[in-house]
Every structure is written in structure tokens, then in C-alpha cells.
Amino acid sequence: MFEKFDAAARRVFLRAQEEAHELGHDYMGTEHVLLALVGATGTTASDLLRDAGITRGRALATFPRARGPAREDPTGIPFTRRAKEICGLAVTESENAEDREVRIEHVLIALLRQSDGGAFRILDELGVDRAGLLTKLVGPSSADTPPAGAERPAVGRDRELQRLTQILVRRGRYSVLLSGPAGVGKTELVRGLKYRIDRGQVPSQLRGRRLVTFDLRRMGDDDALDVAPEDVVCVDGAERLTEDTPLLWLHHEIASGNRQTILMVRDEEARDSLLNDPWLRGRLISLAVEEPGPAEALPMLRRGMVAVAGHYDVSVADEALVVAAAHAGRYESDLALPARALDLLDEAAALTRVRAASRDPEISDILDEPVVCAEDVMAVLEMSGIPVPVVDVVPDAGSPAAVRVVNRLLPAPADSAAILIGTAAYSDPRLPDLPSVAANLTDLRDVLTDPKHGAFAPERVHVFADPGWADIPRIAELAAEPLDTLLLYYAGHGFSEDGLYLGLSATKAAHIEVSSLPYTQIRRLIQRSPCRRCVVILDCCYAGTAIEFMAGDQPGGELDIKGAYVLTATARTDKAHAPEGARNSAFTAALLRILRDGISGGGELIRIEALLPELTRELRAGGFPLPRQRATDTIGDLAIHRNPAA
């Protein structure tokens, strides 16, 4: 939440939580933020509040009584909805001022603009002139302007805005023809220009000139226009300009060079028609506003969601923006990005608000506000009859750290890893070598990292062939790295000695329990890993022992490791098969075939829950032992490969 706040602004909210703690409040509201601002001595905000007669003592006299016992840790005190709103408004104020960071003054401006909440009531009780304070902070022209008003800086369109300004200041008094599909942001670009003109952030040729906008599609024949000679007229629906419309006169003024305009059209046919008009030829310069990519759309969505979040009284997680930007094309809408994604997010926000409506009103006002998350966007797509999409990694071009990668089905490549372990050669002559295991490792690595269908990055797939005890610490380190998905595969000899043991190159048949790797060690690696989901695949004799062991005293029950899936080549009493002369073991050969060839009619992804039926069918046909599986939570929805048969 506070990535864009400078150190002093962050301290205000930390101090506000401390104030709530000291007062015995179990929430942190805008009144506590006000108290923290008063105490931020040596700052402009504190000085202005003091000059307005707001002291700590006077503010405390109006404070509400404690609602309950204070929490032991002040940093755990939750923000009220209004306090969270302050954070969002402060960010908007800093963006409107084109500041790089949110400062204390932006926090105070946001607090003064609020029309309700604890701070508002305190200021009202103390008779504080909020408009006067705002004027001192932002100037008379902006004191009464809401932060999310029509005139605001354009976001993500610096190149187009520079080009638009260049055309309008040229000597020839040229007009601009903006083209681009509906929803791409042509109107937002014009608003960005108006914002700069109003603040004098343009060359002298544009300063002081008024920008007047009309939509020709909505004008009647009797509508009159009030424009001055130097006004720049912006016309949406300009394809109708040459018809018998109220703006037909404008066509002649553009042709004569007496009037500068910004014409907006949605399709190439309308653009070409105007550019080839005999009267306008040479007077118009075309500027295409392209649909942004998902990464480029993210800052635009953050801006657009300010009004949406305010309307529904919700906050919006960055993950929801990522999902909407990546998959807006699946949502039924006539608009392009970013407006198409905003439509999707608007419906997701409505869904979030409806779900939260059953909460107790008093609790809702004190505790956290509803949050629009990735799952809400997915739910809207599903309600529309659209399959749950794959969410690939979409970086935030402006601030990569601000967006946490969301991946509902496929592993997120940058935050996932596969560890492939296989023991083909054994030093003990009583343990026969397994040549097919070496090929298992090579082939599985190639399939998992296949550029077209694989879900794992090549540099994140680690192979341990014929490992010894010296390799175990490195395997443990690698298992502790993934934040999203960990896939752990083992092939080799398996032993059932009061639990499952996995053979290493130096394993001795006479001393299995002390010379091989206990499966309990693998289980501990999974428990300690920060990954959200873990897939374990075991191709060895007696592999099913792992499932029953991990289920504890409830055979057939769920695993006691959250977000885990175990797939084994055999039941606990069966031996795995490695047919003589075959390149791969029987189980891994079937697994590779499914991943390489795909599942007919299985959709665009191969989910792990779909593996068992396919493996069972193929292994039964070959007369081999049948595989087993067990999963927790909804990890069965996880996909580990794109379906080549889709």
C-alpha cells in the first residue's frame, strides 16, 4: 500500500496506529491520522494545522471512547475504510501534482477533501475552515476540485501527448486527427492536454487557450456552440463532420486554417475519409492512439479504478488489475483496452460489494473494506460462460515491484522450480542399475521446459543424476526458493522399511535405513518451503507408501500438507517396472506421452487431476502396476503443462 510514500508520510500512518493503541482503540481511523499529522512537528502540514487552531489537546477532547481492548501490537491494528481511502487519495494527489512520491502534505490534502469520517467530524466540531486550508496547500484554483476530476494528467500516454502538443503549436495551425478504437483512451489523452494547458505546462502558443469538447454523435440540429476564436475545439464522432450537422461550419474553418481542432474517430475508414477529403487534405495530421498491451495498461487501470473503488466502497488488489489486463479480450465488450478491462473490473467490484453486503454495517465501517481480488475477476469471467483463463506473468512497466505475479493454473515461471532426482547407477552390486532413469531425467526436463507447451523456465529446472548425501543440502536450498509452485520428481529404487526410502548412488541393500533418503526428509522439505503449491511425483517401487504415510492415521484421508499433490507409480505393495531395453520406465514413459501428445478434448491445459485417469488407462493396457494420487485443497486445478492436443 505504501510503496509510493516517502519515509515521513509512512511515519504518519505508523504514528496513527500508535495513537490508536495508546487510546485503547481496536481500529485506526482518519481521526488518528489527523492526530499524527498534528504531531508531525516541523512540517508544513503540522504548521498549517497549528495555525488553524488544531492542537493535540483540542483534538483529543472530541475523540470517541475506546470500542474495546487495545491490541498488543500497534502495527496489527486494522485501518478503517476511510483511513484506507486516505491512502488512495493521497496517491492521486501526488500524481496530479506530478510528484514522484507521496508526501505528508498530500496526506493532509486527501484528509481535507474527505466529506465524512472521524477527522471530518473533528474538524467540523472545532470550526476549522477546510477550504481555507486547502487553498493554502494547493492554491485557489484547485481547492474545490476533487482529486478524481475530469482534468488530470494522462497516464501512460507521454509519447502521444508530446506529439499532440507538437502538432498544435506548429506554425501552420494544423489540426489533429486522433484515431483508435472505442475505449483506447483518446478522450483521456485530450483531458491530459487540458490539464497541462490549465496549469501552463505547455508552450506559449497554447497557454491561455480553452479546450472545448463536443460529441457530434449526441448533438441535435438545434444545439448551439459557444466557442471563442482561439478555442481549440475537440470533436468526438468526427466522421459526421462532413454531413449536414451543427458543426458543418467547423469543416470550413479547418479547411481555411482559421480554427485548430482535435478530431476523434474510431476506425480506419473514417480516418482515411477525412484525410482524403479534398477540403481538409493538408490541414489534418493523423495521430493513432494504439491499444496498449497488458503491462502498459496497468497504470491506466490504477487511475481508472479510483472512481470505481470510490463508487463501490472497495479497494482493488494489484493482482486483479493484472488478471483483467491480461484477459480483458475474453470479456464481452465493444471496447478496447484499457476501457474493456475497466468494464471487467467494474463488474468484479460490483460482485465484491454484493458479497460484502451481508456483513454487519458497524463492523464493515470499522474493519477492513472489501477487496477486489483476482478470484473476483475470474468469477465474473466464469459467470459469463468463459472458461477460467490462464494468467501469465504480466510485468508492471512502471514499477515491477508493485505487482505480485498472479497465476491461477500454470506455475508462475519466475517463482516456480522443478527438482528432478534420479538414481540410475548403484555402487552396491546387490542393487541393479536402472539405465532408463537417466533418460527419464533428460526427457522430463525437456518436456517441462518445452518453449511452446512447457510451464517451467529452463533455468529453474534442476537435475540431480545419481545423487549422494552431499547433494541433499543443495536440494534443500533449491526447495526453499520457489514462492509459487515446486515440482519434485524422483526415479530409482524405492524401499519399504517402516516407511518409504529412496535409493541414492551409495545406498547399501543391507543398510537401507541409514544409507538411503527417507521420504520423511522430502516431506520436511515441502513443509518448510514457502511455495504455495507442491507436486511430488515418485517413480519407484512401493511409492504408494508415501501417500499412506503422509495421510497419518487416516488411510485414504487428506494429506496434512497444505497445497500438496502426490502422484505415485505404484501402490504401497507394488514394484515399479522398467522394461528391459526401453528408453524410459513404464510409469514415466506414460507420463511423458501424455505431456508430449496431450489429452484429446482436455482443454487448453493439462491439469494434474487429469493425469491419473490417463496414466491408469495406459498402464493398465500395458499390464503394469496402477498409479495412485492424493491432493489437498484445490491443487488438483493446478496445470503443469499446456495441452498439445488442444
Side-chain angles (χ1 to χ4, degrees), residues 363-541:
I363 294 177
S364 297
D365 191 51
I366 297 174
L367 300 181
D368 291 347
E369 64 190 329
V371 179
V372 180
C373 57
E375 286 71 19
D376 297 316
V377 179
M378 299 273 192
V380 170
L381 291 174
E382 290 172 345
M383 289 175 184
S384 304
I386 302 170
V388 177
V390 182
V391 184
D392 293 319
V393 179
V394 182
D396 177 0
S399 176
V403 175
R404 181 169 64 83
V405 172
V406 177
N407 202 298
R408 183 179 177 92
L409 297 178
L410 284 175
D415 289 314
S416 300
I419 301 175
L420 311 182
I421 306 169
T423 308
Y426 296 83
S427 59
D428 189 338
R430 286 175 292 180
L431 297 177
D433 290 345
L434 301 171
S436 60
V437 169
N440 287 355
L441 297 177
T442 300
D443 295 346
L444 187 56
R445 178 196 59 200
D446 292 344
V447 168
L448 293 177
T449 60
D450 178 77
K452 186 175 182 180
H453 301 112
F456 290 85
E459 67 274 13
R460 304 283 288 170
V461 176
H462 312 284
V463 176
F464 291 85
D466 298 326
W469 281 106
D471 296 303
I472 303 304
R474 179 55 181 159
I475 292 174
E477 291 175 2
L478 293 171
E481 289 180 358
L483 298 176
D484 185 73
T485 302
L486 170 64
L487 186 151
L488 198 151
Y489 167 90
Y490 173 82
H493 283 305
F495 310 95
S496 180
E497 298 283 342
D498 193 24
L500 180 66
Y501 288 79
L502 309 178
L504 302 174
S505 58
T507 293
K508 303 296 182 183
H511 305 288
I512 294 297
E513 293 176 330
V514 295
S515 62
S516 56
L517 178 64
Y519 187 76
T520 53
Q521 293 289 82
I522 299 295
R523 183 170 175 271
R524 290 192 187 99
L525 293 182
I526 299 170
Q527 287 179 316
R528 294 171 182 172
S529 174
C531 67
R532 294 193 299 121
R533 304 174 293 194
C534 181
V535 176
V536 178
I537 302 176
L538 301 176
D539 187 359
C540 62
C541 297

Side-chain angles (χ1 to χ4, degrees), residues 156-167:
R157 293 293 188 186
D158 291 343
R159 180 182 62 82
E160 292 90 343
L161 185 55
Q162 178 179 315
R163 175 71 172 147
L164 176 62
T165 307
Q166 282 178 216
I167 296 171

Side-chain angles (χ1 to χ4, degrees), residues 80 231-232 236 337 489 510 554 646:
T80 65
D231 290 344
V232 178
D236 200 357
L337 273 178
Y489 167 90
Q554 299 178 355

Side-chain angles (χ1 to χ4, degrees), residues 241 247-259 279-280:
L241 190 63
L247 288 187
L248 185 59
W249 59 270
L250 189 59
H251 177 271
H252 303 305
E253 289 207 356
I254 298 171
S256 64
N258 293 328
R259 172 77 62 177
W279 296 98
L280 301 181

Side-chain angles (χ1 to χ4, degrees), residues 88-108:
L89 292 176
V91 171
T92 302
E93 290 295 340
S94 70
E95 290 175 348
N96 286 349
E98 297 188 339
D99 289 334
R100 291 186 175 181
E101 292 184 305
V102 177
R103 295 180 284 106
I104 286 181
E105 289 72 26
H106 299 131
V107 177
L108 178 56

Side-chain angles (χ1 to χ4, degrees), residues 71-218:
R71 296 173 181 246
E72 292 183 5
D73 180 12
T75 60
I77 297 177
F79 287 33
T80 65
R81 177 172 54 81
R82 294 292 182 186
K84 284 189 175 183
E85 185 180 273
I86 287 289
C87 300
L89 292 176
V91 171
T92 302
E93 290 295 340
S94 70
E95 290 175 348
N96 286 349
E98 297 188 339
D99 289 334
R100 291 186 175 181
E101 292 184 305
V102 177
R103 295 180 284 106
I104 286 181
E105 289 72 26
H106 299 131
V107 177
L108 178 56
I109 293 170
L111 186 143
L112 293 172
R113 288 198 193 277
Q114 275 193 324
S115 58
D116 197 3
F120 174 85
R121 290 189 289 271
I122 290 172
L123 294 174
D124 190 52
E125 246 184 87
L126 296 178
V128 174
D129 180 10
R130 292 188 303 120
L133 281 177
L134 272 174
T135 299
K136 292 179 181 179
L137 283 164
V138 299
S141 62
S142 302
D144 297 323
T145 304
E151 291 76 41
R152 54 197 180 191
V155 174
R157 293 293 188 186
D158 291 343
R159 180 182 62 82
E160 292 90 343
L161 185 55
Q162 178 179 315
R163 175 71 172 147
L164 176 62
T165 307
Q166 282 178 216
I167 296 171
L168 292 176
V169 300
R170 288 184 59 181
R171 281 190 306 139
R173 290 179 65 83
Y174 292 100
S175 292
V176 184
L177 178 58
L178 287 182
S179 62
V184 79
K186 300 185 296 296
T187 301
E188 192 71 12
L189 184 61
V190 172
R191 286 175 175 169
L193 176 62
K194 187 176 190 309
Y195 177 89
R196 290 192 175 186
I197 291 175
D198 290 347
R199 284 154 182 78
Q201 298 170 345
V202 289
S204 58
Q205 291 85 349
L206 278 177
R207 287 180 191 167
R209 298 178 68 179
R210 196 168 62 128
L211 189 61
V212 186
T213 302
F214 302 101
D215 188 341
L216 199 52
R217 291 182 295 264
R218 300 181 180 180

